[in-house]
Amino acid sequence: GPLQPLCRGAFILLEGCDRAGKSTQAAKLVRKLKARGFLVEHMRFPDRTTPIGNMIDAYLKSTKELDDHAVHLLFSANRWECMAKMKKLLSSGTSIVVERYAYSGVTFSAAKGLELAWCKSPDIGLLAPDVTLFLDLPICEAGKREGFGEERYENEDFQRNVRGLFLDMKHDMTVGDIQNYARKTIDEIHGELVASAIETIKKCATLPLKDLWK
Ligand code: ADP
Ligand code: FDM
């Protein structure tokens, strides 16, 4: 018989500050989507498992020092090296729930004083998310949450800077941002994210993949 048009998967991004709940929500979202019968995979950036990711991991754990520009380019390269895999998953009909992406890339480096346009340029042309779910949380509340580790960037003044840059960049993010989610319970936020993810999966099933910042 005639071939069914193949539905692609959706690129669902969770962005936001440290301890905003990205990992918690990504895991719950993936579980729920699977239970509803969707094909879905969970990814996170940095992907510390690759050789480039190993260098980033050492930098974040402060066992290695790197120039700010150099590490920025490593974070971007770490996304580029995953593009083939991500495109393959999406075009075969599997959705991906991704923690952090180019928005973290730009905000963390710009918070160190690197120029915004320079920070964006290596990520131009990456696969664009179909929806960016921005999990916002005032830093004073984030500070009360468990899990403030010993990695680089984990101090409140730096995080406050990053959050300001995230809020400045929100006009750049794909529609579907969830705001002020952070004052809600884990389950309330989960419900909103599930609804938004399913709407996105349905909406972009037959739309072409897009390029970031092009
Ligand atoms: P991230 O991945 O953004 O750094 P996590 O998902 O690891 O954040 O969450 C950080 C901490 O905050 C965890 O202890 C988690 O249980 C808790 N947490 C997550 N979401 C909420 C929420 N909505 N309300 C209260 N605590 C939360
Ligand atoms: N980070 C993450 C960057 O500085 N640039 C990037 O491109 C990305 C993806 O690395 F502090 C920062 C953000 C955070 C750290 O920590 C990664 P988690 O706990 O693995 O999200």
Side-chain angles (χ1 to χ4, degrees):
L3 286 172
Q4 284 281 96
L6 183 65
C7 290
R8 73 163 173 92
F11 176 178
I12 298 159
L13 173 61
L14 270 72
E15 269 286 14
C17 307
D18 270 49
R19 284 172 300 165
K22 296 179 298 300
S23 299
T24 305
Q25 294 296 342
K28 281 176 77 74
L29 181 58
V30 167
R31 229 180 296 130
K32 177 62 67 66
L33 291 174
K34 282 185 175 163
R36 298 255 182 106
F38 293 97
L39 294 171
V40 56
E41 277 207 21
H42 186 173
M43 296 177 69
R44 61 173 54 84
F45 289 106
D47 174 353
R48 303 189 194 213
T49 66
T50 71
I52 293 169
N54 290 168
M55 288 201 273
I56 293 171
D57 184 58
Y59 175 78
L60 289 171
K61 296 193 165 110
S62 296
T63 58
K64 187 183 180 77
E65 291 307 315
L66 284 168
D67 174 80
D68 290 342
H69 302 80
V71 79
H72 181 79
L73 296 173
L74 289 180
F75 275 111
S76 178
N78 186 233
R79 285 184 278 282
W80 279 108
E81 68 179 341
C82 293
M83 281 307 103
K85 177 188 174 189
M86 289 166 71
K87 283 183 181 161
K88 195 171 164 200
L89 285 169
L90 293 172
S91 51
S92 71
T94 300
S95 293
I96 48 178
V97 171
V98 179
E99 289 177 53
R100 292 197 194 275
Y101 200 57
Y103 301 108
S104 281
V106 171
T107 54
F108 278 77
S109 291
K112 296 169 168 176
L114 302 191
E115 197 209 342
L116 198 70
W118 186 88
C119 291
K120 285 174 80 171
S121 62
D123 285 330
I124 294 172
L126 285 173
L127 202 51
D130 292 301
V131 68
T132 302
L133 306 169
F134 175 63
L135 308 184
D136 189 24
L137 185 65
I139 303 305
C140 59
E141 291 188 30
K144 291 182 216 146
R145 287 190 177 173
E146 241 178 277
F148 214 56
E150 278 139 29
E151 286 205 331
R152 206 181 285 266
Y153 305 137
E154 291 183 343
N155 76 76
E156 293 206 2
D157 285 340
F158 189 80
Q159 293 287 327
R160 212 163 265 121
N161 252 325
V162 168
R163 179 171 181 244
L165 286 156
F166 262 129
L167 297 178
D168 289 346
M169 277 194 94
K170 279 185 65 183
H171 66 274
D172 253 344
M173 295 184 181
T174 333
V175 286
D177 305 350
I178 306 277
Q179 294 185 44
N180 302 326
Y181 102 94
R183 293 183 193 283
K184 299 175 186 169
T185 67
I186 289 175
D187 286 335
E188 283 169 335
I189 297 154
H190 172 62
E192 292 182 31
L193 299 187
V194 169
S196 179
I198 291 177
E199 186 194 320
T200 304
I201 291 170
K202 289 182 174 158
K203 194 182 67 192
C204 58
T206 56
L207 297 178
L209 293 170
K210 292 170 296 178
D211 295 327
L212 186 66
W213 295 330
K214 261 185 157 169

